[in-house]
Every structure is written in structure tokens, then in C-alpha cells.
Amino acid sequence: MNPVIQLSPDRIPRRWYNLAADLPKGLPPPLGPDGKPVRPEQLAPVFPMNIVEQEVSTKRWIDIPEEVINALLKWRPTPLRRCFALEKHLGTPAHIYVKDESVSPAGSHKSNTAVAQAFYNREFGIRKLTTETGAGQWGSALSHACNQFGLTCKVFMVRVSFDQKPFRKTMMQVWGGECVASPSRETAAGRAVLAANPDSPGSLGIAISEAVEAAVSDTSGGTRYALGSVLNHVCLHQTVIGQEAQEQLALAGEKGADVVIGCAGGGSNFAGIAFPFIRDKINGANITIIPVEPASCPTLTRTPYTYDHGDIARMTPLMPMHSLGHTFVPSPIHAGGLRYHGMAPTVSCAHAQGLLSPLALDQLECYAAAVTWARVEGNIPAPETSHALAAVIREAKKAKEEGKARVILACYSGHGLMDLVGYQRYLAGELKDVAMDDAAIAKCLDQIKDHPRPVLG
Amino acid sequence: MNPVIQLSPDRIPRRWYNLAADLPKGLPPPLGPDGKPVRPEQLAPVFPMNIVEQEVSTKRWIDIPEEVINALLKWRPTPLRRCFALEKHLGTPAHIYVKDESVSPAGSHKSNTAVAQAFYNREFGIRKLTTETGAGQWGSALSHACNQFGLTCKVFMVRVSFDQKPFRKTMMQVWGGECVASPSRETAAGRAVLAANPDSPGSLGIAISEAVEAAVSDTSGGTRYALGSVLNHVCLHQTVIGQEAQEQLALAGEKGADVVIGCAGGGSNFAGIAFPFIRDKINGANITIIPVEPASCPTLTRTPYTYDHGDIARMTPLMPMHSLGHTFVPSPIHAGGLRYHGMAPTVSCAHAQGLLSPLALDQLECYAAAVTWARVEGNIPAPETSHALAAVIREAKKAKEEGKARVILACYSGHGLMDLVGYQRYLAGELKDVAMDDAAIAKCLDQIKDHPRPVLG
């Protein structure tokens, strides 16, 4: 009973898988202010062209550069863990596996794309990256990656998180990253917010605006912006997760997965575990693929497939995605991540084509699942990851009821060691369920009702 | 260039290695209040007899029970990491390897003995374990292990740490452990301290007294005490580390290690990595074995081999060890662990027999090494572990000066994610070197100058 299925370093994936090549009805393009598809060069002030080329690529397989592979080899291939103890605890005939992305230096899957983005920016001659971070996972991962590739990193961290989680800033500093609270006085966007409200707690929308402004206003041209989720190239970089998992399941003697689960905020860790399996599904395999979102921010389960901006300041193009509207602010009482108003265009498009079975869960069920997991399997998961684990428990119970020895695979996207304040509040009984009701969702959607709708081929 | 050397789960060690069997001049016994060797049954109120038997065993190999192996398999074998990036950074011909014990659920090597102790207590019919914890590593590991084996766990945590590191308490709670600040009102020892000083910040000595009292005063007989370092059985349980490392070095194509390094507070992670290599050294191998202690608490490098108590309240027998005296209180400005006044009897005895080359380092060099490590290799080490890494860097530079391609092996005992306050203070320039000077050491040793000295065979 060896619970850890290792993959030899020689077997690390050497190509990323691009779902855009295989979506039967295509992937609609983002739209510019003129309502026309965005041309790649319009993105050049924000991202380096080698990344823009990936963003719009329809090649099925994209070679991973040798230097990126060497960076990934410091923690990849990650372990696949057979959850014998959880199976026994639940009395389920299901075979439960999690792909453990918490073993990276920054503690989550975010490092997979961070090192790739740092590499491509350095190749393009960029010297500095700016970004925003909420809880701090992405800011930590990008600080680590920039340091590995000799770039400077500047992180705008939402002030309320900056104040509540001072150690995330310390992590970034250990890796040489600079972290400032947003809104800051360093950008016009930040100063405008502070002029209106000197005590502003900040928001992801404001922080994105500051990070983009800081990148495009560097007249030397040596600074670009980096995003940790949502975009096609970010989802692409995560597909090492699912590719490794497929090989490890075979090593474990499984024919494949019957159910594939990932939590979904912006969509990138879900994309990472799921896209290689979606390919199999498009090719005829019978797989249930479940993105799990919080009921406090339900996009795939409760919103239409529409065009919407990626940020509150409408600096991004219109993206084809499921969205609660770019002005959406999630409940502050929700203690996990996964609070983005939209969903990655590739994930949204896969759902629009009937390939996904999304699920929205409320936070008490997720924290209960996380505590069960920690007590039975050992590790403390990130609050985001707990959404995937709650769905795993639901599916394992269903398999028990139906007497089916299904193979359930989930992405264990990150550890919870930097997020124990959420557990503290949960264990103290201070958290409550915060699902959006119909009226709240209707109000959100009213703001974007006139946006154009993506057309599938 | 694959930096991670995995060991197949099938190759997990199935026996612990007991150095007491091989020390050429024997291992002196602990002494009771009457000055005579302690009889095993005298320890029975504190520890279960199956653990006491291990404590006094002179068998070379002790089989690891199947249930303990299954518990260890959740994170073992741990990775051995070849540090190509650090070698390149230092320009050294040395081959640098670290054995990564940070991958356990509680984040350090402590879990290796925690699961073994929980198992043996449960086998003996014990239902509850008490212990003390300083920074929280051990309390976390024991909470996790008790939960795995169905025991209740009660942790007395030094109040100043309890207040400064609230998330360690949360970790213990997630695993079902109960954590109270020490001094507490729950024990006579705690109440006496609070009566004299209601604002007492606590100390490890007070917390040990409280934990032992809580164990022995349970008249049902269902409670015992557990210790996370120092004792023979604890060091024994850690020898899986060095045994795995030996096999992994062979897989990496090395003939063995030339230098073996571990940080040393109580001595257990050092014992874990080093004892299997000390056996080789006793049998003729040419290996330099370096325990690294903080210059703020230097036992092996600055104190005589003597008999001394393990705790400030003198509740333990007299142990044969290097010691600064059981009343020693380390500098509060020292930001790492490794603050125990004594050194494990087995480690002390190995040094007394000329088998070790101890080194004392001050904290600024260690934090500098930790930041170099994090920036070059990626992960953020525990402040304790940084002592080992600083010694690795010294040895790698020495190998460069001498042009020798030495194989350097170190134990990466834990991650630093719960200890970022130390990094915060270091990066802010708030820490300073705090080596004990000759006068301070002389004053400490004066208190124990009349203690008996161990006699080697």
C-alpha cells in the first residue's frame, strides 16, 4: 500500500497541451474597444510578443523550453497520492487520487506558469515584471520565478490582505520581490482611489489597474505585466499537471480517470489538471469533469457565456467568458480565494460546448472537507483546494451509494500554511455560508446584459 | 540534470539503527536521585514500557512496526536533492546534497518520531499524550501523529511563542490537538509560576514541568508524556533519514558522503542524518561529521561532557551530555530554534569518543545562508535548518579552495513557512549576532561544576 506514485524526472512533460487546438466549436477571440477581435500587437505594451503568440496560438502542442524544464525539475514531477486513508474513512469503493501541486517553492500550482512567464519575458529582453496579488499565492510564485531568471518583481497586494497576511510580503522579500499595499501612491490609479478614500482596503481590480499602469508607464520598455490565471497562455502552462497525472495513473495500474476535479477561481489549476482529460473526452472517453467554484462567486453554474472585461477599470479587452460582471465584489466573509468575477475563456468555452459538469459549493462544507482531509490524510490544504476536496468527498460517497469503483482524480492545488487565519475563524465558528441568492446574481448580470455574446463555430 | 533523487516506496527502511550498539567506548547510563543508574521501571510513570525498552536497548537494529511504516509512507521516502544551482552559484567542485525532511505534514523531521511514539503509546493502551513545545514544530508533529493513531494530544506551548505564533496553535487544532499557553492554571507547576509572576512569558523548562505533571497526575494511568528530541529512542526513530540518504547517494552514483552536516539543538535531526554514517566511520570510513549549533547556545563546542538534568525543575534523571546547565536561558534575540541547554546523550557520547567535528555559528551568517539558499535553490528553510545550510556553504567554499570534488550531505530538517517572523526581523536589520562570550559560558558552567562526569569504557 504505497500511497505515493512517483514519476521519474526523465518523464517530465516536454510539451504543453493547448486545448484551443481541439475545442470542436473553436475559441472566440477577445474583442477590442472597437468591437473587433484584438490584434496581437495591441497587447504588446502589456505582454512580451513571445507570450502574446502563445496566447493566440492554436497549435496543439507547444514545446517547453529547456530552461523552463530545468526550473520545473526543482519540484516536478509532483507526487500523485492515492488516498487510501480517505477511501477507508469514507468506506467508498472509489479509488481516490490527488495530484499534489503544493510541493512547489511557493506552495501552489502558480509556480508552473510563473517560471515560464519569467523565462519568456527575460528572453524578450524584459528586466522587470509587475503584477497584483490578493491572498499572496501568485505574488509569491512570481517573486520566486523572477528571482530564478534574474528579473525584478513588483507586486501590488490588496491592502486588506497586505495587513492581514504580513508574512506573504516577507516570502516575496526573501525572494527579492518588492511588495506594496494597493492602493498605493506610486500610480495615478492608486492615488485617485486614495484621494477619494484614504482608508480604502483595496481590491483586486484596483491592484490590477496599478500593476498594468506601472508596466506600461515604464518608458524604457523594460517592464511588462504578468497575470497568474485566466489567460490562455497561463492555462497552457499548467497542463503539465494533467499530463503527469495521466502517466502516473497508468503507473498505478488504472485505465484512466472516471472523474476529474479541480477548484476554479480564474480557472488555471482546473485547466492544468483537466485539459489533457478534456482532450480524451473530445476523443470519446467517458469522463466527468468537474470545476468547483464557491457559491459566493458562481460563474460557470450561474452566469451566461458572454463578453466581459477582465478588470474593474476595463483596461483589458472584452473576454469571452462566464462572468458575474467586472464590477463584482465577492462577500468579504468568504475566507477562501476563488473570488474572481470571471472564468478563464478556455474553461468557459469548454463549458459552453458541453464538456464540463461544474459545481458550486459553500464554504462551510469546504472547510469541513479540509479538516476531514487534514485529519485523515495529514496535510492542511489551501482554502481554495478545499473546494476540490469537498467535491471529491461528494463523488466518493456517490460511488459508494452506487457501488461503483470509480477512479476519482483531483488537483491538490496548494497548501494552507499561509492561510491558517481562515481555519482559525472556521474552528472558532465565526464563518457562515455565503452563497449568492438569485436576486444578487440577477443584479450583477443586469450590468452586463447588453454585452455582446460569443459565437461558437 | 535531475536535481531530485527519489527512492522507491518499496525501499523505505524497515529497521531503525541504534548507535548505542556500536559506540566503541559504550554509552553511560542516566543516573537517578540516588546517584545510581536509573532502572527502566523508574521511567514507567512518564513513558510506556515499550518505549522505555527502546530507550535502554543496545540492539543494533530495531524493526519498525508495519503500522509505523504505513504512517511514514504518507511522505517517505523523502527526496534527496542535488543542489546544482547552489554549486554553480558558489563555483564549487563539491557535490552538494540535502535530504528534504520538510515534506512531512507538520513540515519537519519531527513527524518521524511522532508517529512512532503515538503508535507505541497506543499499543500500550495509552489514550492521551502530553508534551511541551517552544516554536511549535514538535507540538504540531505530535498533534498530527496522535490524530493518526486515535490518541488525544495536549500541548503546553511557551506563552511568548503562543502569543507570537497563533497559527501554530491553529495547525494543532486542525489535527484535533489541544494547545494551551504555558504557564497555565491547569497544573500546580503552572499555578506556582503565575502566583509569583502573573505575566510570566513562560519557558521550555516550565512547559516541560507542566506536561510531565499533567501526564503523571492522570490517576487513570491512560496518559503519558512524549518528548521530541534528546532521548535515545527519539534519535533512533530519526535514523530513517540517514539510511535513505545512503541509498539515494548510491543511486546518484556517489560512493558515499565525505561530509555530513545537521543542525543540532536537542540533537535529533542531526542524529537522524548522521548516525548511519557514524557507523561507517567507526568501521573505518573517512567522513567528517558536523553537528552545527548556534553560537548563542553552544554545547558541543564549549561545554564539558558531564551529567546534568534535562529540565529546569530537575524532574528528569541526570543525563550524560554536553550541557550549559539546566538553568540556562538562551538569548531572547536569537530568532531560531536550537535553544536547548543540553545535547542528546548519544550525540554527546559520540563527540566524547572523537567521532564528530562540531561547529557553532552565529545567526546573521545563518540567515544570510538561508536567504542565499531561498534565492538560489527556491525553498525557504526553517531558521534551525539555516545553521546546516551555512555550514554547507562553508564546506563548499573550502572544497573550492582545495580543489576537491567532495560529496557534502546535509539534513534539510524543516521549512520556514511558520517562522517568517525571523526573516522579517532579519530583512529589516533588527537581528544581531548573539554569540555567548567566555564569561557568560563560565558563569553557566559554574553551576554544574560539581556534577558527576560520565565514565567511558
Side-chain angles (χ1 to χ4, degrees):
Chain A
M1 296 235 306
N2 295 333
V4 181
I5 298 113
Q6 298 169 338
L7 188 64
S8 162
D10 302 328
R11 301 296 303 163
I12 193 169
R14 304 207 155 251
R15 303 182 298 179
W16 289 304
Y17 169 61
N18 186 5
L19 182 64
D22 286 324
L23 283 169
K25 299 179 185 175
L27 179 66
L31 303 181
D34 55 1
K36 292 181 183 167
V38 170
R39 283 167 289 118
E41 54 272 27
Q42 288 178 281
L43 299 171
V46 181
F47 301 109
M49 281 309 289
N50 49 7
I51 281 185
V52 173
E53 283 161 21
Q54 280 193 350
E55 181 65 20
V56 300
S57 172
T58 54
K59 272 183 65 180
R60 179 172 293 120
W61 297 104
I62 296 178
D63 288 341
I64 307 176
E66 199 62 28
E67 270 193 81
V68 175
I69 288 177
N70 283 335
L72 293 172
L73 277 170
K74 283 194 178 166
W75 72 91
R76 304 203 73 86
T78 61
L80 183 73
R81 302 188 187 277
R82 172 79 185 269
C83 309
F84 289 114
L86 184 64
E87 291 170 18
K88 188 176 166 195
H89 176 79
L90 297 172
T92 180
H95 293 192
I96 302 174
Y97 295 87
V98 298
K99 179 67 171 160
D100 188 357
E101 295 298 309
S102 75
V103 299
S104 78
S108 80
H109 68 289
K110 294 283 187 191
S111 291
N112 296 326
T113 185
V115 294
Q117 292 191 47
F119 167 81
Y120 283 115
N121 274 280
R122 194 207 63 192
E123 284 297 285
F124 197 71
I126 302 303
R127 294 180 301 276
K128 178 176 181 177
L129 288 179
T130 66
T131 197
E132 76 291 332
T133 199
Q137 293 264 22
W138 170 241
S140 302
L142 194 66
S143 293
H144 165 260
C146 282
N147 178 252
Q148 292 280 302
F149 285 95
L151 302 180
T152 304
C153 185
K154 170 90 170 223
V155 180
F156 292 87
M157 185 170 183
V158 177
R159 173 168 286 286
V160 60
S161 296
F162 184 91
D163 292 339
Q164 281 177 1
K165 299 192 177 184
F167 296 134
R168 276 285 180 194
K169 181 181 72 165
T170 306
M171 276 183 91
M172 298 180 218
Q173 289 175 327
V174 167
W175 287 315
E178 186 192 352
C179 177
V180 295
S182 167
S184 77
R185 302 215 161 270
E186 300 187 18
T187 66
R191 288 189 294 271
V193 174
L194 289 171
N197 177 10
D199 298 323
S200 167
S203 74
L204 217 42
I206 296 167
I208 293 176
S209 300
E210 288 207 274
V212 173
E213 180 186 331
V216 300
S217 63
D218 175 359
T219 51
S220 81
T223 304
R224 289 294 183 280
Y225 168 73
L227 195 66
S229 190
V230 180
L231 298 179
N232 301 354
H233 67 276
V234 181
C235 293
L236 180 77
H237 297 157
Q238 296 294 352
T239 58
V240 290
I241 302 173
Q243 292 181 68
E244 287 179 7
Q246 287 180 321
E247 199 159 340
Q248 286 164 305
L249 284 175
L251 287 175
E254 306 288 0
K255 287 180 186 161
D258 298 304
V259 184
V260 176
I261 296 170
C263 64
S268 77
N269 96 82
F270 170 75
I273 190 97
F275 282 6
F277 291 91
I278 294 179
R279 178 172 186 239
D280 292 346
K281 182 165 182 159
I282 290 169
N283 291 330
N286 181 17
I287 312 176
T288 304
I289 298 175
I290 307 176
V292 189
E293 52 190 23
S296 63
C297 183
T299 53
L300 292 169
T301 53
R302 302 296 303 273
T303 75
Y305 183 45
T306 184
Y307 270 106
D308 195 13
H309 294 282
D311 68 317
I312 198 166
R314 295 185 292 179
M315 294 178 77
T316 74
L318 282 164
M319 320 279 280
M321 61 185 182
H322 286 269
S323 174
L324 281 158
H326 56 273
T327 61
F328 174 74
V329 177
S331 166
I333 204 170
H334 187 261
L338 313 178
R339 300 160 59 120
Y340 187 64
H341 69 274
M343 180 57 66
T346 42
V347 175
S348 295
C349 190
H351 183 41
Q353 299 187 31
L355 295 163
L356 308 181
S357 308
L359 178 68
L361 296 180
D362 217 328
Q363 66 178 347
L364 294 183
E365 178 176 347
C366 296
Y367 270 105
V371 170
T372 294
W373 172 272
R375 293 187 179 174
V376 174
E377 285 289 338
N379 291 76
I380 299 177
E384 295 83 355
T385 309
S386 75
H387 289 71
L389 299 176
V392 165
I393 291 174
R394 282 193 177 202
E395 287 295 317
K397 287 179 175 172
K398 202 163 91 183
K400 181 181 181 181
E401 283 161 19
E402 298 173 6
K404 297 270 175 69
R406 287 198 192 97
V407 174
I408 301 171
L409 169 70
C411 183
Y412 191 89
S413 54
H415 65 62
L417 298 181
M418 306 302 289
D419 308 284
L420 287 166
V421 66
Y423 284 90
Q424 199 176 40
R425 292 167 66 193
Y426 171 72
L427 292 170
E430 292 169 14
L431 296 182
K432 58 180 185 181
D433 276 341
V434 283
M436 289 182 78
D437 61 20
D438 293 347
I441 289 172
K443 194 173 161 194
C444 281
L445 299 184
D446 192 56
Q447 300 169 39
I448 54 169
K449 66 178 188 299
D450 298 328
H451 285 202
R453 294 297 160 98
V455 179
L456 296 176
Chain B
M1 296 235 305
N2 295 332
V4 181
I5 298 114
Q6 299 169 336
L7 188 64
S8 163
D10 303 328
R11 301 297 303 164
I12 193 169
R14 304 206 157 254
R15 303 183 299 179
W16 289 304
Y17 169 62
N18 186 6
L19 181 64
D22 286 324
L23 282 169
K25 300 180 185 176
L27 179 66
L31 303 181
D34 55 1
K36 292 182 182 166
V38 170
R39 283 167 290 119
E41 54 272 26
Q42 288 178 283
L43 299 171
V46 181
F47 301 108
M49 281 309 289
N50 50 6
I51 281 185
V52 173
E53 283 160 20
Q54 279 193 352
E55 181 65 19
V56 300
S57 173
T58 54
K59 271 183 66 179
R60 179 172 294 121
W61 298 103
I62 296 178
D63 287 342
I64 307 177
E66 199 63 29
E67 271 194 81
V68 175
I69 288 176
N70 283 335
L72 294 172
L73 277 171
K74 282 194 177 165
W75 72 92
R76 304 202 73 86
T78 61
L80 182 73
R81 302 187 187 278
R82 172 79 186 268
C83 309
F84 289 114
L86 184 63
E87 291 169 17
K88 189 177 165 195
H89 176 78
L90 298 172
T92 180
H95 293 191
I96 302 174
Y97 295 87
V98 299
K99 180 67 172 160
D100 188 358
E101 294 298 308
S102 75
V103 299
S104 79
S108 79
H109 69 288
K110 295 284 187 191
S111 292
N112 296 325
T113 184
V115 294
Q117 292 191 48
F119 167 81
Y120 283 114
N121 275 280
R122 195 208 60 193
E123 285 297 285
F124 197 71
I126 302 303
R127 294 179 301 277
K128 179 177 180 176
L129 287 179
T130 66
T131 198
E132 76 291 333
T133 200
Q137 292 265 22
W138 171 241
S140 303
L142 193 66
S143 294
H144 165 260
C146 281
N147 178 252
Q148 292 280 301
F149 286 94
L151 302 180
T152 303
C153 184
K154 171 90 170 223
V155 180
F156 293 86
M157 184 169 183
V158 177
R159 173 168 286 287
V160 59
S161 297
F162 184 91
D163 292 340
Q164 281 176 0
K165 299 192 177 184
F167 296 134
R168 276 286 180 191
K169 181 181 73 164
T170 307
M171 276 182 92
M172 298 180 217
Q173 289 176 327
V174 168
W175 286 315
E178 186 192 351
C179 177
V180 295
S182 167
S184 76
R185 302 214 161 272
E186 299 187 19
T187 67
R191 288 189 294 272
V193 173
L194 289 172
N197 177 11
D199 298 323
S200 167
S203 74
L204 216 43
I206 297 167
I208 292 176
S209 301
E210 288 208 274
V212 173
E213 181 186 331
V216 300
S217 63
D218 175 0
T219 52
S220 81
T223 304
R224 289 294 184 280
Y225 168 72
L227 195 66
S229 189
V230 180
L231 297 179
N232 301 354
H233 68 278
V234 182
C235 293
L236 180 77
H237 297 158
Q238 296 295 352
T239 59
V240 291
I241 302 173
Q243 292 181 69
E244 287 180 6
Q246 288 180 320
E247 199 159 339
Q248 287 164 306
L249 284 175
L251 287 176
E254 306 289 0
K255 286 179 186 163
D258 299 304
V259 184
V260 176
I261 296 169
C263 64
S268 77
N269 96 82
F270 169 75
I273 190 97
F275 282 6
F277 290 92
I278 294 180
R279 179 173 185 238
D280 293 346
K281 182 165 183 160
I282 291 169
N283 291 329
N286 181 17
I287 311 176
T288 303
I289 298 175
I290 307 176
V292 189
E293 52 190 23
S296 63
C297 183
T299 53
L300 292 169
T301 53
R302 302 297 303 274
T303 75
Y305 184 45
T306 184
Y307 270 107
D308 194 14
H309 294 284
D311 68 317
I312 199 166
R314 295 186 292 179
M315 295 177 76
T316 74
L318 282 164
M319 320 278 280
M321 61 185 182
H322 287 269
S323 174
L324 281 157
H326 56 274
T327 61
F328 174 74
V329 178
S331 167
I333 204 170
H334 187 261
L338 313 178
R339 299 159 61 117
Y340 187 63
H341 69 274
M343 180 57 66
T346 42
V347 175
S348 294
C349 190
H351 183 41
Q353 299 187 30
L355 295 163
L356 308 182
S357 308
L359 178 67
L361 295 180
D362 217 327
Q363 67 177 348
L364 294 183
E365 178 176 348
C366 297
Y367 270 104
V371 170
T372 294
W373 173 272
R375 293 188 180 175
V376 173
E377 285 289 338
N379 290 78
I380 299 177
E384 295 81 355
T385 309
S386 75
H387 290 69
L389 299 176
V392 164
I393 291 174
R394 282 193 178 202
E395 287 295 318
K397 287 180 176 170
K398 202 162 91 183
K400 181 182 182 181
E401 282 161 20
E402 299 173 4
K404 297 270 175 68
R406 287 197 192 97
V407 174
I408 301 171
L409 168 70
C411 183
Y412 191 89
S413 54
H415 65 64
L417 298 181
M418 306 301 289
D419 307 284
L420 288 165
V421 66
Y423 283 90
Q424 199 176 40
R425 292 166 66 194
Y426 170 71
L427 293 170
E430 292 169 14
L431 296 182
K432 57 181 184 181
D433 276 340
V434 283
M436 290 182 77
D437 60 21
D438 294 346
I441 289 172
K443 194 173 161 192
C444 281
L445 298 184
D446 191 55
Q447 299 169 40
I448 53 169
K449 66 177 187 299
D450 299 328
H451 284 200
R453 295 295 160 99
V455 179
L456 295 176

